[in-house]
Amino acid sequence: FADVVLGKVSPCGRLTDTWPLLPQDHICMRPENRSAVCAGAVPYREGIYVGYRYFDTFGVPVRYGFGHGLSYTEFTVETQNLSLCPSPQASAELTVTVRNTGARYSARQVVQVYATCPLGGLHKEARRLVCYGKTRTLAPQSAQSLTLRFPLERLASYDAAAGGKTLCAGNYHLWVGASLAGARHIGALSLCQPVLVEKLDRLWPEFDDVDTLFPSAERCAAWRQSLDEALLARALPVVRVGPCAFSKTPKAPHAEPGPGALQRAGAIAAALSDEQLIRLCVGQWSRETESQLGAAGVSVPGSAGETSAAAGDAGVPPMVLADGPAGLRLNKVYFEKNGAPIIAPLEQCFEGGYLALSEYDPGGTRRYQYCTAFPIGTLLAQTWDTALLGEVGRAVGREMELFRVSLWLAPGMNIHRDPLCGRNFEYFSEDPLLSGLTAAAVAGGVQSCPGRGVTIKHFACNNQEQLRTESNSIVSERALREIYLRGFEIAVKSAQPMAIMTGYNLVNGVHAANSRALCTHIAREEWRFSGLFMTDWDSTSSQRCTPEGCILAGNDLMMPGSRRECAALASALESGALPRAALRRCAANVICAALCSGAAPGGSSDAHDPAGQ
C-alpha cells in the first residue's frame, strides 16, 4: 500500500462491480423489493439484468463502471486480429497489442472483451463479459501482444422454447478495452443459422414469469442495427461462423476424483452397516452441546468440523474441514494435555475468543496456529489475474498440509446481486464469468497440493444474510442458468472442486440443501460433478430442510453433525422413506473424498509450536 501511495508501484486492479450514483439505482434496492427481502420471499424481478447488465442496457448513469480502474500511466489497446479456432471446441481468438504510452511509470493493464449478442426472439443485455487477460509489467513505451481466446458457448443464452443453451443467427459484436465504459467496437462474429449448443431439461417452468424487467425491444433492435451498419461503414472485421464449427464440441468429461477411488469407495460402502453409512453422512460432533457455530473440529482446534471415523477400520480416514474465506480460519492459540488438544468453551471458539470475558488458560502446553490472512474474495477478483490467484491457492494448499486440513470451506462465489448482502466481501463479483474463472483459479491452486480440496459455496442464490435460513429466492430458470449458476458451472467444469456447499436459502420454494434439481440434476448430471456435496452448518435446523431430504437430493454430508440428524436418517431408513441405495450412494461420495484427501488428522505437526518456540 505504501509503495502504491508513494508512486513506486502503479495500481493495476479493476472493479468487479458497478458503483451506482445512488444506492436505490440498484433494482433490488427499490422500496418494493426491500419489503420482499424483509418478508423472506424474494422475487428476482430483474431477471438477467444484474449489475452492469442493468446499468448498461437501460442507460442508467453510474459513478464507477464495471471494470473501471486507475493507473499512474496511460495505455493504448489495439486489436490486431480476430479469427475462429474450431478445435478442440468452437472458439474465437483475438490478438491485442497493449502499449504503455507514458514516460515515467511501469505498470500492468487489464484487457476486457465484451459481446453484444443478437436478439433472436429473446431480450438480452447490451453487453456481457466473455474474456479478459492481463499484461506483464510494461516499462514506458514498451508493448505486449496478448492472445485472448474464448469458447463461443459463452455467447449462448438459455431459451426454454428451444430446449437449452442456444446461439441465434446474426452478428455477435465484440468490444475490447480496459473497462466496459472504455471498450471499443472492434468487429463481429457472424453466425449464419441458429445452433442448439447444449440441450437442457427444463426444471423450474412455473417460475419463468417472475421476470418483470424488460428493455425496450425497439431500442435494443435499433442499437444492434446501428452496430451492423458500423461494421460496413468502418470496415470492421467480420468472421463467418458456420454450424459445422460446433460439430466437434466435446462434452464435459466426468472427471475421476482419483485412480479407482469411486470404485473402491462404492465397494467399501456396500460392506458397511446402516449405522456406519448414517454416521459417514453426518459430521462428527465433538461436544455434548454438539454444534459449535462453525468451530466444531477437535483434531485441529478452531477448524469448522470433521467427518466421522465410523469406517476407519475399512481404511477411510476422517477429514478436517477449515473455514475461510481469507485463508484458513483456525484458533491462533490452543492448549494441549497428554498430547491431545483441550476442547475450549464456546465463547473461546467463536470468532477467536471475541466473546470471552477473561483470558483463557486451562493449563497444559500452549500451542500456536498462525495462518496467513489473505485478501478478501472481492479484492482477489479485482486483480483480474488468474495466475496470481493460482499462487494464492497454492499457498493456502501448503498451509492446509501444515495444519492437516483436508477441505477448505472456500472460495465463496455467489453473485453480488444486493449491495446490502452481509457476505459480499467473501464473494467475487456481480459477473458470473469473472466469478467462475476466479474460483477455478483459486481451486486449481489449492488442489495442485495432493490431498487438499476446496469447497465452492454457497450453492445457490445465497444473496442475502437477512432471514438467511428461511429466505426463498424466486428466480426464473433463465436467470438461474445465465447468472446465478453460471459461475459454479465454470468452476466445476474448469477445476472439478473436491466439494460443493449448499446455501441456507430456498430456491423456488425448495431448500437448497434439499434440492435434487440443484445437487443431482444440474451439478452431477449436467456438469458431471464428481465430488462431495455438503450442507452449510446446521442447515437442517430449519424446518424447511430435513436430513432425509438432503440424502434424497444427493447432498452427501450434513455438517457439523448431530445426534438428531442421525436419528432422523435411521427413522427414515426404517420407514422406507429413505432408500438404502440413496444413503449408500451418498456415503460412497464421502468415502471417495476421504480417500482422495489421504490426510488423516491427528499426530504432531511442525506448524503447531510450543510456547516460546
Side-chain angles (χ1 to χ4, degrees), residues 272-281 308 310 566 570 573 583:
L272 297 178
S273 67
D274 290 348
E275 181 181 358
Q276 287 175 306
L277 294 174
I278 289 171
R279 289 296 294 111
L280 282 172
C281 292
S308 172
C566 287
L573 194 63
L583 180 65

Side-chain angles (χ1 to χ4, degrees), residues 3 159 171 360 450 581:
D3 286 346
D159 187 347
N171 289 330
Y360 176 67

Side-chain angles (χ1 to χ4, degrees), residues 13-174:
R14 290 291 182 270
L15 292 179
T16 59
D17 294 288
T18 304
W19 287 69
L21 291 174
L22 298 171
Q24 56 266 36
D25 287 345
H26 274 289
I27 296 297
C28 62
M29 293 288 288
R30 292 177 178 175
E32 64 272 20
N33 293 329
R34 295 316 303 171
S35 62
V37 170
C38 297
V42 186
Y44 286 34
R45 297 188 179 97
E46 70 279 6
I48 65 169
Y49 299 103
V50 179
Y52 71 87
R53 284 170 166 80
Y54 165 68
F55 293 99
D56 191 36
T57 303
F58 289 83
V60 179
V62 300
R63 189 173 304 277
Y64 301 111
F66 182 81
H68 170 77
L70 298 177
S71 176
Y72 291 145
T73 189
E74 300 290 335
F75 293 91
T76 58
V77 179
E78 298 293 337
T79 304
Q80 305 297 330
N81 183 56
L82 173 62
S83 60
L84 188 66
C85 303
S87 182
Q89 61 176 318
S91 300
E93 183 175 283
L94 300 92
T95 303
V96 179
T97 299
V98 183
R99 183 175 299 278
N100 180 352
T101 58
R104 181 178 177 185
Y105 291 98
S106 298
R108 302 178 70 192
Q109 179 66 303
V110 175
V111 179
Q112 304 163 33
V113 182
Y114 297 87
T116 298
C117 302
L119 298 176
L122 293 176
H123 61 91
K124 294 179 183 176
E125 68 275 82
R127 289 178 288 187
R128 73 174 68 163
L129 182 70
V130 294
C131 186
Y132 60 89
K134 194 166 188 175
T135 69
R136 63 177 180 268
T137 300
L138 298 178
Q141 301 303 314
S142 67
Q144 179 184 354
S145 290
L146 291 178
T147 299
L148 303 175
R149 178 182 293 183
F150 65 92
L152 298 187
E153 178 265 344
R154 290 183 187 170
L155 301 172
S157 298
Y158 175 73
D159 187 347
K165 289 182 184 177
T166 61
L167 287 165
C168 63
N171 289 330
Y172 291 79
H173 297 274
L174 299 180

Side-chain angles (χ1 to χ4, degrees), residues 243-259:
C244 60
F246 299 90
S247 61
K248 297 181 180 180
T249 301
K251 187 175 180 62
H254 204 306
E256 172 72 26

